[in-house]
Amino acid sequence: MPNRYTEGIQYLAQSANAFWLLTDASVMGKSLSDKSRFITIDFKRYTPVEVETYGYDAVITYTDGNGNTLALQQYHFTDFPLEQIRLFFVDNTLLLPSEY
């Protein structure tokens, strides 16, 4: 079954030139779907202090929605315009929380 995403995700990817986020979140969501049918995907840009500490610009945390971390992806560089955003991956579909 191919990865799917909603119109809201399509708009986000186009507006923010962030097709990488759509791809990474979908691939990771699919790979983690055997651990949870509902996955939260939280993008967070690190503060300058965190950049110094971790050596990365941003992190995506994947959880089961109940506070259990399933995976982390750190990024050395990002030009994503938002400080943070939450996405959901449910039934092989990437969506915004407002679309759930």
Side-chain angles (χ1 to χ4, degrees):
M1 183 189 302
N3 290 329
R4 297 178 302 214
Y5 50 88
T6 61
E7 289 180 13
I9 294 293
Q10 176 72 28
Y11 178 81
L12 173 69
Q14 287 177 329
S15 299
N17 194 24
F19 287 95
W20 64 269
L21 179 60
L22 183 157
T23 301
D24 286 5
S26 293
V27 169
M28 282 297 287
K30 177 89 171 157
S31 73
L32 296 169
S33 61
D34 62 328
K35 296 181 179 181
S36 178
R37 70 165 283 285
F38 180 88
I39 298 169
T40 63
I41 301 160
D42 291 302
F43 170 91
K44 179 186 176 286
R45 182 182 305 279
Y46 283 135
T47 65
V49 171
E50 290 171 320
V51 170
E52 284 293 316
T53 302
Y54 302 123
Y56 294 93
D57 270 4
V59 63
I60 297 178
T61 305
Y62 298 84
T63 75
D64 63 2
N66 293 316
N68 299 307
T69 299
L70 303 174
L72 291 174
Q73 276 184 303
Q74 293 180 307
Y75 294 84
H76 286 290
F77 172 80
T78 183
D79 59 358
F80 190 66
L82 300 177
E83 292 297 311
Q84 59 186 25
I85 191 167
R86 171 170 278 184
L87 309 174
F88 294 154
F89 189 84
V90 184
D91 297 328
N92 205 42
T93 303
L94 189 62
L95 58 150
L96 299 171
S98 62
E99 297 173 309
Y100 182 66

